[in-house]
Amino acid sequence: MPQAAFDCVIRAGHVATAVDEFDADIGIKNGAIAAIGRDLSAGTAEIDAKDKLVLPGGIDAHAHIEQLSSAGIVNADSFESATASAAFGGTTTVICFAAQHRGMNLMTVVGDYMALAKKGAVIDYTLHMILTDPTKLTLEEHVPALVAQGHSTLKVFMTYDLMQVGDEGLLDVLLAARRNTALVCVHAENHGLISWMGKKLVEKGYTAPKYHTVSHPRGSEAEAFTRLIAFAEFIDQPIMIFHVSTAEGVDVIRRARGRGLKVFAETCPQYLFMTAKDLDKPGLEGAKWMCSPPPRAETDQEAIWQGLALGDLQVVSSDHAPYAFDATGKLSAGSNPNFKQIANGLPGIEARMPLLFDAMVSKGRLGLAKFVELTATAPAKIYNLYPRKGSIAIGADADVVIWDPKRQVTLADGMLHDRAGYTPYAGRTVTGWPETVLRRGEVIVLAGKLAAKPGSGVFLPRAGGAAAAPRNRLAGDMDPARNFGARLY
Ligand code: DUC
Ligand code: ZN
Ligand code: ZN
C-alpha cells in the first residue's frame, strides 16, 4: 500500500489566522502543518471539520502553575492539572513562571520548575523568570546563563511586601535585561498606596473581600505605569506591562506607544468580564473573585476593549492563579481572615479562550481575526515563539483547535479541569466551544476526553527576539557621548 502523504488531514473546515479566513483542508506530517489546500489527498487519520472553525492553538502567556507564593502556599494546580485544563480550553502553549523568592538561587529555582513541567505538562511550555532578589550574582551570572538556555523573559513586581524590588532594583533588572536581550514583564502598581490603604481599611474594620478592590486604588496603576515607562525609556529597555485593569492605565500606555517606546501590554478576562461588584458577596464568598489588580468598572472594561482594538494592548492572558476556597488556598489564614490575608488569584486557564470567543466571535466584538491575534499570534510574536507557534501556516507546529461555533455551554463550578474547584464565571453561558485539540499533530482532546500523557509537552527555548531588542535611543545621562564619557551599560 502506498504511504499516505499526511499523518492526518483536517478536512473541510473554515480556517482562520490573524489576517485571513478561508475554507481549506490542513495536511499534517511529523507534527507540523505540511499543506493547506482544497481536496488534499487522504491522511492516515482524517478529521471532519465541516461547519467547524479551525484555529491556531491558544497561547496563554501568563499562568501561575505549581508556584510557591511568598506566603508559602502553592497554587491548587500541578503542571498536569493546569495544562490539561488549558488543553480543554483550546490552549496548546503556556508561559508560566519560575518564581525566585528572596534568598533563593535563580539557577536552582529555574531547574526546579523545569523539572516539574517536564514531568507533568501535557502542552508545550516556556518560562518567565520572576526575580525578587536581583543581587549581583543573580543579574551578572545567573541571568546571562539562563537567557542562553532559552529563558528570555524576566518578571518583576513593583508591589507586594515580599516580592517588590524597589525603584533601584527595577533599574538593575532593566539594565540586566538590556545586556542580555531579554524582555521585562512587570506587575506594576504603586506599593505605598496599596500598603497604606490596606492598613487603613483593616484598622477601621473594613476587612471583607470586597475591600480588597478599594485597597488597590485605581490611580496606583497609572502611577506605577508612568514610573515604569520612565525607567524603561531611561535604560532603553522594552517592557511588557502585565494585567492592565484601568482606563487611566490604558491612556498611559497609549501615550508611551505614541512616542514610539517599546511598551507592550496585556490584559486578562477578569478585567473584560468582571467588575469590583463581583466581590460584593456575603461573608467570605467574594474571595473567589479576588485578584490583583482587582476587577474595576464597566467604563474600564470599555477602555480596555478600545485599547485592544487600537493595538495599545496586544495580548489577553489568563493570569491563572488558582486557589481552592478552603484551608489549602483562599482560607489558609484561618476561617475568618481579613482581605489582606487571602491569596490573590483566580482560575482562568480553561475559560480564557471560550469567554473571548463568545465575546469576540459569537457576539461580534472585534471579530475572528482579532480573536486569533490576541489569543495566539500576538503572544507568539512578542515572546518569540513565532512562526513555530501562533498561526496556521506551512511549517508551523500543528497546534490546531477545532471549534464548534454553535455549541452553547453554561459554565459551572466543578465542570472545568483545574483544581480550584470553582469558576468565577459560573452561570455564564458562552457560545462556541473548542471540541478537538491537536498539539504538534497529536489529538490531545477529543469528545471531552484528554488523550495526552503527563510530560508529553515540550520546553520551548526562546531567545528574546525582536520585541526584546532595544531601540538604541540612549537617554542623555546614559549616553557616553553626552554624559562626559561615563560608560554605564
Ligand atoms: N495577581 C498577581 O499578581 N499574580 C497572581 C494572581 C493575582 O491575582
Ligand atoms: Zn501580577
Ligand atoms: Zn500573575
Side-chain angles (χ1 to χ4, degrees), residues 234-247:
F234 183 71
I235 303 290
D236 184 34
Q237 167 60 34
I239 50 170
M240 161 64 76
I241 302 183
F242 271 168
H243 44 51
V244 175
S245 71
T246 60

Side-chain angles (χ1 to χ4, degrees), residues 62-64 67 97 130 155 157 160 187 242-243 266 268 270 292 318-321 344-345:
H62 183 163
H64 302 269
Q67 188 181 317
F97 295 91
I130 292 179
K155 182 198 177 181
F157 289 86
Y160 292 134
H187 178 123
F242 271 168
H243 44 51
E266 164 204 88
C268 314
Q270 45 271 39
S292 287
S318 69
D319 199 1
H320 180 72
N344 282 308

Side-chain angles (χ1 to χ4, degrees), residues 82-230:
T83 56
S85 183
F88 278 109
T91 289
T92 50
T93 297
V94 66
I95 315 185
C96 46
F97 295 91
Q100 180 200 43
H101 292 288
R102 290 179 187 158
M104 287 182 179
N105 177 304
L106 187 64
M107 301 294 289
T108 311
V109 168
V110 172
D112 289 349
Y113 281 92
M114 285 289 282
L116 292 172
K118 187 170 195 281
K119 177 163 154 266
V122 304
I123 63 172
D124 295 350
Y125 56 89
T126 176
L127 300 177
H128 302 301
M129 301 188 292
I130 292 179
L131 303 188
T132 57
D133 207 358
T135 59
K136 214 170 153 54
L137 177 71
T138 299
L139 295 178
E140 293 184 8
E141 292 186 32
H142 295 172
V143 165
L146 290 162
V147 170
Q149 289 172 23
H151 307 289
S152 62
T153 34
L154 311 179
K155 182 198 177 181
V156 284
F157 289 86
M158 293 173 75
T159 186
Y160 292 134
D161 287 333
L162 298 175
M163 307 284 279
Q164 51 109 5
V165 291
D167 284 355
E168 290 192 43
L170 177 56
L171 288 161
D172 284 339
V173 171
L174 290 165
L175 184 63
R178 192 180 190 282
R179 286 187 174 137
N180 291 283
T181 320
L183 189 64
V184 178
C185 302
V186 187
H187 178 123
E189 295 181 279
N190 180 292
H191 183 60
L193 200 47
I194 292 167
S195 174
W196 188 86
M197 274 296 271
K199 283 182 206 145
K200 274 271 164 290
L201 286 158
V202 170
E203 237 171 65
K204 296 205 174 285
Y206 301 111
T207 59
K210 63 187 169 198
Y211 294 108
H212 165 70
T213 67
V214 183
S215 77
H216 286 242
R218 47 187 309 114
S220 70
E221 187 168 272
E223 187 285 324
F225 290 7
T226 305
R227 185 160 31 105
L228 166 64
I229 289 166

